[in-house]
Amino acid sequence: QRLKQILINLFSNAVKYNREGGHVIASCEMEGERQVRIEITDGGHGITPQDLQKLFTPFERLGADKSQIEGTGLGLVLSRRLTEAIGGVLEAASTIGQGSTFSIVLPAGHAPVIKQQAVASDAVQPKETNAVIPTRTCASSRSRRTVAS
């Protein structure tokens, strides 16, 4: 349940803060025998290094509070705490003009079985986009699926 909430928040943010015509990619891979890495990557505007330092600060919206994007500034804070509660780490990396990647690293015992159909829409101009993430567990090789474009 905690992992589900973390993923919902990360996918929601990837769509919400994306650019028109942007994309969201989910990937999952084993790191050795004891850890699994799940990454959510978007093709958004990116986050500056200065703003990355503030990303997990409660109520910090990095200027989005001046936009029409709804939010409280608590989603990433709660996601990080939930990740830590299940023995994992939530990290972020970003490149201006290219987008951001949020990585969840968990003990392999928490490796998810992804069973749901992912439906996402463009953050600026909604459009119908359907993509299915096949039912499987994370394998030793990288698995990537585009879930919104």
Side-chain angles (χ1 to χ4, degrees):
Q1 189 67 12
R2 290 176 181 170
L3 181 58
K4 181 179 176 181
Q5 186 60 47
I6 296 162
L7 292 172
I8 287 170
N9 184 62
L10 295 179
F11 275 112
S12 174
N13 283 353
V15 172
K16 222 174 12 176
Y17 295 103
N18 214 320
R19 67 176 87 213
E20 185 174 348
H23 65 275
V24 173
I25 299 172
S27 66
C28 181
E29 69 179 337
M30 292 297 297
E31 291 190 339
E33 295 179 17
R34 298 195 171 158
Q35 291 185 318
V36 62
R37 175 180 291 273
I38 303 166
E39 291 185 341
I40 311 298
T41 301
D42 67 58
H45 299 285
I47 303 167
T48 66
Q50 297 83 2
D51 282 346
L52 269 176
Q53 294 176 9
K54 300 183 272 186
L55 196 60
F56 296 100
T57 303
F59 303 107
E60 179 59 64
R61 298 209 44 228
L62 306 178
D65 53 329
K66 298 177 183 106
S67 72
Q68 294 183 5
I69 300 171
E70 292 185 23
T72 61
L74 291 174
L76 287 175
V77 175
L78 293 173
S79 292
R80 179 173 259 182
R81 290 184 183 163
L82 287 171
T83 302
E84 291 169 351
I86 57 176
V89 176
L90 175 59
E91 305 167 324
S94 190
T95 303
I96 295 295
Q98 294 182 13
S100 303
T101 298
F102 288 83
S103 303
I104 306 165
V105 180
L106 297 169
H110 289 282
V113 176
I114 302 172
K115 299 183 199 178
Q116 298 182 347
Q117 181 176 9
V119 179
S121 60
D122 187 85
V124 179
Q125 290 276 343
K127 63 180 181 179
E128 292 185 19
T129 304
N130 294 320
V132 177
I133 301 174
T135 302
R136 70 163 102 184
T137 58
C138 293
S140 58
S141 63
R142 177 164 281 232
S143 170
R144 291 179 91 81
R145 297 282 182 248
T146 302
V147 293
S149 58

